[in-house]
Amino acid sequence: MGAEANGLKAGNAVDSRTLLYCVIGDPIHHSKSPLMLNRAFRETGENGIYTAFHITGDRLGAFIQGVRAMGIRGVNVTIPHKVEIMSHLDEIDASARALGAVNTIVNDNGRLIGYNTDGIGYVRSLKEEAAADLAGKRIVLLGAGGAARGIVYALAAERPATITIVNRTIDRAEELAASVSGHTGLKDVRAVGAFGLEMACRQADVVINTTSIGMSPQTEGLPMDINVSWLKTEAVASEIIYNPLKTRFLREAEAAGRRVHGGLGMFIYQGAYAFEYWTGKPAPVPAMRETVLEALGYTSQAIT
Ligand code: ATR
């Protein structure tokens, strides 16, 4: 792994026209976004440089003043600031407003506009890697927290036949289901408790884990004790977790012959959409993927 893979060479040659970009969060120093986005700038010849700032909640306002003062062109926002950041912006895109969180800011000549690329990033990855057409499909979501919220509106926009939200705490599933049908007009959005998981899985075309169960370092976790034999043989098992690249849920589903879709693509495509919003150029997705896989310690062949 050379200096480039380590991100030691940031964007292109930095000069007085270089545009600044960054990601903020608390914590932030585990983030792979700087490596991924600087690779994208180099690949496309964009004169940009992307770094990470550790911003605590009490400094969000000061940070935004800094963005305005310095003309930082683009910002990615991660945990725990995706909701709070909204009150500091000039405009929020309609879909980010519906889901109530922003992960990308475009500084359009001093006007700060908030978007959310998580859900569309997830859906683009799912369609390109596992299920090309979601229209008329039956989708099951495990979990009803912030991560579920982040992708469910984009899924609803694909006009599936049904979305069933399965959650340990049924009230949260009911609340999210009502919000999704209210905002998207999708009629058949259901909420069930964990007891309904088997029945939901038996009918599903795509089953998505949005809980953090199975994420490193607790890699032996299985969300809601799901049994992969409940999934139809042609169903897709999907994750938003990308560390490990294949969770226990996906490993068991794959061993049982089901199609699997890992969470890495969501991370790549949320960044790809941000890049496209900022630059107006298509994102160099394969190069971005290669850089992230290297940073995670895998070779590019590790993921199919
Ligand atoms: P995030 O923003 O990452 O989604 P969250 O809002 O805390 O985090 O939501 C976590 C999700 O994982 C919730 O759906 C949660 O279920 P509850 O709403 O019942 O808490 C789910 N979850 C977390 N730990 C779980 C466990 N041990 N078993 C089942 N579900 C779990």
Side-chain angles (χ1 to χ4, degrees):
M1 199 187 300
E4 179 160 319
N6 280 319
L8 300 178
K9 186 177 155 208
N12 297 289
V14 175
D15 63 19
S16 52
R17 292 182 185 279
T18 301
L19 293 180
L20 303 179
Y21 301 83
C22 63
V23 59
I24 61 164
D26 177 21
I28 197 59
H29 295 306
H30 62 286
S31 173
K32 307 295 180 221
S33 290
L35 288 172
M36 178 170 77
L37 271 305
N38 283 314
R39 175 76 187 269
F41 291 139
R42 285 199 300 281
E43 286 293 315
T44 55
E46 274 294 296
N47 190 354
I49 187 166
Y50 185 114
T51 185
F53 294 122
H54 181 196
I55 303 290
T56 50
D58 56 322
R59 305 306 297 269
L60 264 189
F63 167 75
I64 289 292
Q65 280 187 331
V67 170
R68 295 185 192 279
M70 294 168 68
I72 291 177
R73 165 71 178 152
V75 179
N76 281 134
V77 182
T78 188
I79 292 167
H81 302 317
K82 291 185 186 186
V83 177
E84 186 58 33
I85 196 74
M86 296 173 78
S87 63
H88 297 277
L89 306 179
D90 300 310
E91 191 179 322
I92 313 260
D93 157 77
S95 61
R97 213 173 325 119
L99 72 85
V102 158
N103 80 330
T104 300
I105 302 171
V106 177
N107 183 348
D108 195 3
N109 289 316
R111 194 166 171 73
L112 303 189
I113 308 166
Y115 296 89
N116 196 307
T117 66
D118 287 330
I120 53 177
Y122 171 78
V123 167
R124 187 156 145 193
S125 159
L126 178 65
K127 289 171 74 174
E128 291 200 6
E129 296 163 27
D133 188 5
L134 297 171
K137 296 286 161 46
R138 304 172 87 85
I139 297 176
V140 169
L141 235 64
L142 311 189
R149 216 179 159 77
I151 65 169
V152 70
Y153 295 93
L155 285 165
E158 298 293 317
R159 310 321 288 175
T162 63
I163 295 180
T164 304
I165 302 169
V166 185
N167 200 43
R168 178 177 60 177
T169 312
I170 193 166
D171 294 5
R172 290 184 88 188
E174 282 170 351
E175 213 174 294
L176 185 56
S179 166
V180 173
S181 34
H183 277 101
T184 66
L186 189 69
K187 289 201 173 55
D188 202 346
V189 188
R190 306 170 189 184
V192 294
F195 61 87
L197 182 59
E198 177 176 352
M199 174 83 88
C201 284
R202 289 193 182 283
Q203 300 173 346
D205 298 300
V206 185
V207 177
I208 308 160
N209 175 39
T210 75
T211 74
S212 53
I213 314 277
M215 192 189 293
S216 180
Q218 262 113 40
T219 53
E220 279 317 297
L222 199 56
M224 288 181 236
D225 294 324
I226 188 169
N227 183 334
V228 295
S229 70
W230 296 338
L231 273 66
K232 294 191 287 191
T233 48
E234 66 278 18
V236 175
S238 173
E239 272 287 358
I240 61 172
I241 294 170
Y242 65 88
N243 190 12
L245 286 182
K246 281 186 187 147
T247 58
R248 181 175 164 198
F249 170 48
L250 293 195
R251 280 185 276 118
E252 291 192 359
E254 192 170 53
R258 275 42 170 197
R259 274 187 294 160
V260 300
H261 168 247
L264 186 70
M266 173 178 176
F267 176 67
I268 309 285
Y269 281 113
Q270 63 76 33
Y273 272 116
F275 178 90
E276 290 170 3
Y277 288 175
W278 293 327
T279 67
K281 288 186 180 172
V285 170
M288 292 164 72
R289 184 187 300 269
E290 180 185 78
T291 292
V292 176
L293 281 170
E294 279 176 6
L296 290 169
Y298 299 100
T299 61
S300 302
Q301 289 78 42
I303 191 161
T304 51

